[in-house]
Amino acid sequence: MPEPAGPDLLRLDGVCKSFGKVVVADRLSLTVGAGDLVGIVGPNGAGKSSLFGLIAGDLRPSAGQIVFAGRPVTRLDATARCRMGIGRTFQVPRPFGGMTVLENVLVAVQQGAGLRRRPSYAAAAAVLDRTGLLGDANIPAERLGLLSRKRLEVARALATGPDLLLLDEVAGGLTDPEVAELVTIVRGISAQGVAVVWIEHVLHALTATVHRLLCLAGGTFIGDGAPAEVLALPEVREVFLGTEVTASLHQAGPRLADGQDREDR
Amino acid sequence: MSSLGPDTTAAAGPPSVPPAAAQVRVTRARRSTLAAAAAVVLIVAVLAYLPYLVYSGTTNLLVNFFTLLIMASMWNLLAGYAGLVSVGQQAFVGLGAYGVLLLASHGTSPFLAIPVATAACAVLGLPVWWLVSRLRSGYFAITMWVIASVCELIISQIPSFGGGTGTGLPGLPGNPTLLTADTYWATLACAVLALGVVYLLLRSRIGLVLTAVRDDETGARSVGVRVASTQRLVFLVAAAGCGVAGALYIVSQQFVEPTAAFSVLWSAKMIFITVIGGIGTIEGPIIGTIIYFVLQQTLAQYGTWYFIALGLVAMAIAIWARRGIWGLIADRFGIRLFGVGYWLSPAGPPDRDRGSR
């Protein structure tokens, strides 16, 4: 396993979360160093987006602790965590449709990064420039195409001035040249020292970009290391060969029984 | 789709080379906004001069108009921006009215009592917010209605307020011409102030926050928006706004009774006006109030049919024009009267791209 690039920025200790019988996080533990560039893969329903919800504060874990920048943030809400430096994108873009692209980014700069007036305008323009959205600045976000919507998700998260950026399938549904553009943007963000955790189904984009790859299945990590090594693991291969349904059933069975046991006691 | 000429090979790339961030600047007002500002000044000047020109019947009608305009603008701020759908705003209408009554019965001039009662409503809004802030959507709406009903019941138990049968407002000037004109000017001033507050609020940093909350609350939280404290601010502003409307109501009626002051019809009117005018815009409640008054003046003589017509209009708008009459106008002509937005130049197109519909 490669050493983290810096001191721990984010640490998850035994984080648990389930929706009814569906376990999305089963004693998850994870550390991300400052400036790290980490990829996460896994089958649908593995708990990838829920993991981001737990880190960003949209979901409350039922057990475990989350530490960011040396401070426990488990009890803080999404607003507070954003202001501390956790930026996130949503798998299904959530633009402020009635606002222009510029206004979308501006509200993130002013609220997330705490800038005002002219400094906030300059910061917003700089973010739009970096994400290739300057030409669309005055267009209402609801009129954007898919690529621009994905870019706006990244731009808005970036505008909050994060130390940790959570990217949730920003390359999904895009053509190869568009994916290449996004990869360039993500590399640029990482090069400036922002730690990036990137969930992606478009594997070639991910493996070409990240230094470290995690595989999440059934709420637990089944692989963690260099991308090529992780993808060569038999457990990971099994998941990606399309046998994940049976595999996760086998895994989930005893765990579910276990969880119910604990509840009964 | 319009053809841009022979150079269609570069369709995959960006339409033009965008300038670097250092070469752009962000501005606020646009041309249609400046024109609107000039129009607003002119309209207010004409309206202020009106008592010298027309009979009291017309000014009395306009007093009702401005009072409803204030209420609708406040409801729009609450529901259209902060996502707080209330059917209990009549609580503050009634409290504003009885606030004026309380002060006037102790010798204060009713006109001076208006701002005091307004401020009192904002203060009373705090404990009410503490009660309802944990509630969402339907629960919030109904609890607000319950609070309004509780206020009505308490007020109707107080003998010095005339109990359930109501009482006249003391301390008004005896000259009817002067009283009509003063009431009109007070109402006009309050309406201009209320709309001014709404406009400045939406133009400030909070406006961007409110619009973001309106469009996507989860998205807003994810970029660091403090949704709850923003909602509290809007709730208190709306409490004061509905309070001033109630204060103007008692002054114009010179009489108040609990069932009328705390009537749920106030909220129904606010909702009707905002929905037909266009929720989530400053212009919507203004257009809505105009439409409401035109309908009232032309159809009121038909009795029950008037209410049926109002209902049909509301249903038609709700089904076919979700963003109201102003939404249709704004989409059609690409205009905005009150510029609260931001504009990046010279990178963007010179104006909103009207062609792509």
Side-chain angles (χ1 to χ4, degrees):
Chain A
M1 196 189 300
E3 285 291 308
D8 284 355
L9 181 66
L10 173 75
R11 198 176 78 238
L12 272 69
D13 283 330
V15 169
C16 298
K17 179 75 188 176
S18 32
F19 297 106
K21 284 187 174 178
V22 182
V23 180
V24 292
D26 182 21
R27 281 158 289 172
L28 276 183
S29 292
L30 165 72
T31 50
V32 176
D36 267 6
L37 182 44
V38 183
I40 297 180
V41 294
N44 290 325
K48 301 190 297 296
S49 290
S50 301
L51 173 65
F52 275 10
L54 289 164
I55 297 173
D58 292 319
L59 298 175
R60 287 286 164 91
S62 52
Q65 202 192 20
I66 301 167
V67 178
F68 179 72
R71 286 166 59 188
V73 296
T74 320
R75 290 168 170 275
L76 297 181
D77 63 4
T79 303
R81 293 196 207 182
C82 169
R83 289 177 177 225
M84 283 184 71
I86 300 179
R88 77 165 298 185
T89 71
F90 291 93
Q91 185 179 357
V92 178
R94 287 180 165 272
F96 306 129
M99 297 162 71
T100 66
V101 170
L102 169 67
E103 289 163 352
N104 267 265
V105 172
L106 200 55
V107 70
V109 169
Q110 293 182 345
Q111 299 303 314
L115 297 179
R116 295 190 180 202
R117 296 181 187 275
R118 295 200 173 279
S120 74
Y121 303 161
V127 167
L128 290 175
D129 193 14
R130 278 173 74 184
T131 47
L133 282 169
L134 261 187
D136 294 331
N138 297 326
I139 295 174
E142 63 197 358
R143 290 203 201 151
L144 291 178
L146 183 64
L147 173 63
S148 296
R149 272 172 196 251
K150 298 269 186 183
R151 280 183 175 172
L152 180 57
E153 279 293 310
V154 178
R156 217 170 55 179
L158 196 56
T160 64
D163 297 316
L164 172 67
L165 182 61
L166 309 172
L167 300 174
D168 196 348
E169 296 200 19
V170 284
L174 300 183
T175 64
D176 279 352
E178 290 170 343
V179 170
E181 279 182 53
L182 265 171
V183 166
T184 310
I185 292 171
V186 173
R187 280 189 178 144
I189 294 167
S190 175
Q192 296 211 323
V194 177
V196 178
V197 180
W198 186 3
I199 292 173
E200 195 53 75
H201 274 306
V202 184
L203 274 182
H204 66 89
L206 203 56
T207 50
T209 314
V210 301
H211 314 310
R212 175 183 165 202
L213 190 68
L214 294 151
C215 183
L216 189 64
T220 51
F221 291 119
I222 58 169
D224 182 357
E229 291 169 20
V230 170
L231 290 176
L233 291 171
E235 304 94 302
V236 175
R237 291 177 65 91
E238 190 179 13
V239 161
F240 278 92
L241 280 170
T243 54
E244 68 263 32
V245 179
T246 45
S248 58
L249 274 180
H250 284 306
Q251 289 178 349
R255 194 179 306 127
L256 277 177
D258 208 30
Q260 279 162 350
D261 263 350
R262 262 176 306 192
E263 271 177 13
D264 291 342
R265 268 171 221 158
Chain B
M1 283 275 108
S2 62
S3 167
L4 295 169
D7 184 26
T8 49
T9 47
S16 61
V17 179
Q23 293 172 321
V24 298
R25 69 202 158 86
V26 173
T27 52
R28 302 300 303 271
R30 308 220 303 273
R31 228 176 310 152
S32 63
T33 307
L34 285 176
V40 164
V41 171
L42 191 68
I43 289 169
V44 170
V46 169
L47 286 173
Y49 195 67
L50 220 51
Y52 297 108
L53 301 176
V54 298
Y55 291 112
S56 60
T58 309
T59 51
N60 283 343
L61 193 69
L62 283 171
V63 165
N64 285 336
F65 177 88
F66 292 135
T67 309
L68 275 179
L69 177 59
I70 294 169
M71 291 191 210
S73 294
M74 292 304 152
W75 196 84
N76 176 48
L77 199 60
L78 263 186
Y81 285 94
L84 300 168
V85 177
S86 165
V87 290
Q89 288 311 101
Q90 65 273 14
F92 297 108
V93 175
L95 289 173
Y98 276 93
V100 169
L101 177 67
L102 178 68
L103 289 162
S105 62
H106 286 83
T108 314
S109 153
F111 289 105
L112 285 178
I114 293 173
V116 182
T118 305
C121 281
V123 173
L124 285 170
L126 264 177
V128 176
W129 176 248
W130 180 81
L131 270 175
V132 297
S133 59
R134 291 161 190 78
L135 304 171
R136 279 274 161 266
S137 59
Y139 299 98
F140 173 83
I142 297 301
T143 306
M144 281 303 298
W145 192 353
V146 170
I147 287 170
S149 298
V150 168
C151 290
E152 179 189 338
L153 289 173
I154 292 172
I155 294 282
S156 63
Q157 298 305 309
I158 301 175
S160 62
F161 284 168
T165 53
T167 183
L169 177 65
L172 287 169
N175 181 339
T177 313
L178 197 63
L179 175 60
T180 308
D182 280 351
T183 307
Y184 174 78
W185 280 319
T187 314
L188 177 63
C190 289
V192 170
L193 265 175
L195 284 183
V197 165
V198 170
Y199 172 66
L200 289 178
L201 195 65
L202 290 178
R203 208 182 140 86
S204 72
R205 280 192 321 138
I206 295 158
L208 219 47
V209 165
L210 282 173
T211 317
V213 173
R214 174 195 73 182
D215 287 354
D216 193 317
E217 202 175 308
T218 306
R221 287 178 207 280
S222 83
V223 297
V225 168
R226 291 193 173 120
V227 176
S229 62
T230 309
Q231 284 176 328
R232 182 181 58 210
L233 174 74
V234 169
F235 187 82
L236 296 183
V237 169
C242 289
V244 77
L248 294 166
Y249 166 73
I250 188 177
V251 169
S252 65
Q253 300 293 310
Q254 302 159 37
F255 178 83
V256 67
E257 57 177 331
T259 46
F262 290 97
S263 168
V264 73
L265 271 177
W266 289 124
S267 279
K269 285 175 184 173
M270 295 179 213
I271 295 169
F272 176 81
I273 289 170
T274 309
V275 167
I276 60 168
I279 192 166
T281 61
I282 300 180
E283 297 89 346
I286 302 173
I287 302 282
T289 315
I290 293 171
I291 293 170
Y292 177 78
F293 265 77
V294 168
L295 286 174
Q296 195 186 44
Q297 292 305 305
T298 51
L299 297 174
Q301 50 183 318
Y302 299 108
T304 312
W305 288 104
Y306 159 59
F307 290 104
I308 293 171
L310 282 189
L312 288 175
V313 168
M315 280 163 66
I317 297 281
I319 294 169
W320 288 298
R322 297 291 291 275
R323 292 171 55 224
I325 301 291
W326 180 254
L328 293 179
I329 297 171
D331 281 356
R332 183 78 184 78
F333 302 104
I335 49 168
R336 220 179 247 189
L337 292 183
F338 297 94
V340 294
Y342 296 78
W343 200 246
L344 191 89
S345 55
D351 204 341
R352 214 162 268 254
D353 49 339
R354 296 171 190 178
S356 59
R357 290 183 46 76

